[in-house]
Amino acid sequence: MSTEKLLQYRQRMRTELDRVLDFWLKYSHDTQYGGFFNCIGKDGKIYDDLKYVWLQGRQVWMYCRLYRTMERFHKPEILQAAKSGGAFLRSFARVSNSGSPWKCAFCLTRDGKALKVQRTIFSECFYVMAMDELARVTGDNDMQVEAAQMMDQLVHWVRVDSSGLGRPQLPGDTPVCSMAVPMMLLCLVQQLTEGRSGEQVDKYQEVGSWCVKQILQHLQRGGTAILESVSVEGKELPGCQGRLQNPGHALEAGWFLLQYGVKNGDQELQRTAVDKFMEVPFLTGWDTEHGGLFYFLDVDGYCPTQLEWSMKLWWPHCEALIAYLMAYSQYREPALLERFAQVYDYTFSHFSDAENGEWFGYLTQEGKVTLDFKGGPFKGFFHVPRSLYMCEKILDSILEK
């Protein structure tokens, strides 16, 4: 592929990232109560003022990352917005009567009152990401300490005692391992150790290795399938739960593993990341009739029970863009760049909204927009800008070489 084509890709990433950022800067900031509106219509109108802690944390992280690592985004309004979001999180995200000082809400009212709590770790994970990245741009050591303390609690919940999450122990509920959990912890290990050395890095070395081992257990059936859930012993589970595949999630795990493998000089892990966690889910998950990645699949070909299984969602395609461009950057195999181009062509022709900015998130199997909001309970300022940002940075590196 020509240098001219790579330059075109980079320019589109830059332009699209600028437009996406402008959308959220313009419409999402709550100047009265702080934090961010998450439920935003296609043209920027707020259709609900509930605030979701996952998305609050993600937006703080994304603003800080752009501010810290890209000169054109080193602007006071971006830093101030991140600080506002961080202050809102610190004031309201933790649920005081949850039985644990570290448990965070899932959903808050506009003025910060806890409305819903999930019995999972993900609100807390994005709280860690937000605090650590905000600490990096502000120099606030208290935030960094808080992020590390929350991480300690997360590791305890996951590896020692999950009772603090509030899940009742039911007699028929067999413990399972969801790939999302070690993936998220590995993401946090990368966040907390990036650019640091000594004790701060050593502390998380064993946790990172454990996460990788846990993720690799989801490679099943002789290396021909990535399954979302496995038993605590790393074996395939019975029924629909055990057969479930999420191609986008596997691709995201792929670039997490590749990034970790490169950082730690693990050649075998790098190759597994590409050959198994990228190629396997892509080949099974790509819709050869209509294009795009299916959201869910059943490994045995049954119809998945998730009603949205055949839809095309924004975030799996964002993860595929990162995965294949990162893989190409590492190995320079033309086939990997061709995969990237295939995902790129579908993604930018279907999700991007040329009229109002930002991206639609939910398409039918045939590729038509079915939910036209730009922000909702699970779609915020994260997957799209992270993908554009990372792809631009990777393309910078490729073109420099």
Side-chain angles (χ1 to χ4, degrees):
M1 189 173 289
S2 67
T3 300
E4 182 181 356
K5 190 65 174 178
L6 294 173
L7 287 166
Q8 290 174 4
Y9 286 145
R10 183 174 65 176
Q11 185 56 47
R12 183 65 187 271
M13 298 295 178
R14 287 176 61 94
T15 302
E16 202 77 15
L17 179 55
D18 291 348
R19 293 180 73 243
V20 169
L21 174 63
D22 288 346
F23 184 94
W24 290 90
L25 287 172
K26 183 176 181 180
Y27 297 118
S28 72
H29 296 179
D30 185 348
T31 57
Q32 182 175 355
Y33 291 102
F36 313 111
F37 294 114
N38 300 132
C39 299
I40 305 177
K42 65 177 182 179
D43 55 359
K45 292 186 175 63
I46 307 301
Y47 64 85
D48 197 327
D49 62 11
L50 295 179
K51 294 175 179 174
Y52 295 86
V53 172
W54 287 31
L55 304 184
Q56 301 290 312
R58 286 169 163 180
Q59 191 158 345
V60 171
W61 179 85
M62 195 72 246
Y63 276 162
C64 291
R65 180 56 64 110
L66 292 174
Y67 178 86
R68 180 169 70 88
T69 64
M70 281 191 159
E71 186 176 353
R72 74 179 187 274
F73 299 126
H74 198 79
K75 300 177 180 179
E77 61 267 29
I78 295 177
L79 178 59
Q80 186 53 46
K83 288 180 176 179
S84 171
F88 185 84
L89 280 171
R90 297 185 88 186
S91 296
F92 302 116
R94 293 197 205 175
V95 183
S96 58
N97 62 349
S98 65
S100 169
W102 299 103
K103 193 75 190 89
C104 292
F106 171 68
C107 181
L108 307 169
T109 62
R110 181 182 177 185
D111 58 356
K113 295 183 180 68
L115 189 62
K116 295 180 182 178
V117 175
Q118 288 184 319
R119 295 164 178 173
T120 64
I121 63 169
F122 303 112
S123 290
E124 294 78 12
C125 287
F126 294 113
Y127 190 98
V128 171
M129 285 180 65
M131 290 303 112
D132 185 75
E133 193 66 27
L134 190 55
R136 290 173 184 267
V137 299
T138 62
D140 189 326
N141 187 62
D142 288 344
M143 289 184 189
Q144 187 180 332
V145 169
E146 187 177 357
Q149 290 173 334
M150 180 76 87
M151 179 65 170
D152 290 343
Q153 180 63 71
L154 286 167
V155 173
H156 178 81
W157 280 334
V158 171
R159 300 183 64 183
V160 181
D161 180 10
S162 63
S163 61
L165 296 174
R167 287 198 297 263
Q169 295 298 309
L170 302 175
D173 187 14
T174 303
V176 302
C177 293
S178 167
M179 190 166 68
V181 172
M183 278 180 63
M184 197 65 241
L185 287 186
L186 184 61
C187 178
L188 295 183
V189 167
Q190 300 278 59
Q191 173 68 38
L192 293 168
T193 60
E194 180 194 354
R196 293 172 177 148
S197 60
E199 185 179 342
Q200 289 177 307
V201 174
D202 297 340
K203 176 181 179 180
Y204 297 113
Q205 185 173 0
E206 188 275 333
V207 178
S209 297
W210 179 86
C211 291
V212 169
K213 183 179 178 181
Q214 292 294 308
I215 294 169
L216 292 176
Q217 287 188 146
H218 294 263
L219 179 60
Q220 294 283 326
R221 301 198 176 189
T224 63
I226 310 294
L227 302 180
E228 273 294 291
S229 298
V230 295
S231 73
V232 293
E233 297 81 21
K235 305 298 183 182
E236 185 173 336
L237 295 165
C240 296
Q241 182 183 29
R243 298 194 305 268
L244 185 66
Q245 298 176 292
N246 183 330
H249 215 204
L251 284 156
E252 185 178 20
W255 72 258
F256 282 14
L257 293 172
L258 179 57
Q259 195 174 53
Y260 186 87
V262 170
K263 182 178 180 180
N264 291 278
D266 189 332
Q267 299 288 338
E268 183 180 358
L269 180 61
Q270 293 173 47
R271 201 67 247 184
T272 297
V274 176
D275 294 343
K276 300 301 183 181
F277 282 80
M278 296 182 195
E279 285 290 87
V280 169
F282 185 86
L283 290 171
T284 57
W286 189 263
D287 183 346
T288 56
E289 181 179 0
H290 300 289
L293 289 163
F294 287 112
Y295 195 27
F296 291 112
L297 291 172
D298 183 296
V299 70
D300 286 335
Y302 294 102
C303 179
T305 56
Q306 290 77 13
L307 301 182
E308 72 276 32
W309 74 268
S310 64
M311 290 175 64
K312 312 295 168 58
L313 271 65
W314 83 106
W315 71 262
H317 297 80
C318 290
E319 302 310 320
L321 288 170
I322 298 170
Y324 276 114
L325 196 57
M326 187 183 292
Y328 175 73
S329 178
Q330 183 65 21
Y331 288 108
R332 301 304 171 99
E333 295 170 6
L336 295 172
L337 193 57
E338 289 171 11
R339 291 269 194 260
F340 168 80
Q342 183 178 345
V343 178
Y344 175 96
D345 290 342
Y346 181 88
T347 301
F348 283 92
S349 63
H350 287 79
F351 290 104
S352 179
D353 181 0
E355 181 179 355
N356 295 297
E358 238 286 341
W359 289 16
F360 298 111
Y362 302 86
L363 312 179
T364 64
Q365 181 178 352
E366 295 74 25
K368 298 185 183 302
V369 175
T370 185
L371 304 175
D372 68 3
F373 55 76
K374 300 298 175 51
F378 297 98
K379 183 181 185 295
F381 185 68
F382 184 63
H383 285 101
V384 174
R386 183 177 70 169
S387 178
L388 297 169
Y389 158 79
M390 290 188 67
C391 287
E392 182 182 336
K393 298 281 277 188
I394 294 169
L395 285 162
D396 282 345
S397 176
I398 292 171
L399 287 162
E400 283 174 8
K401 295 175 182 178

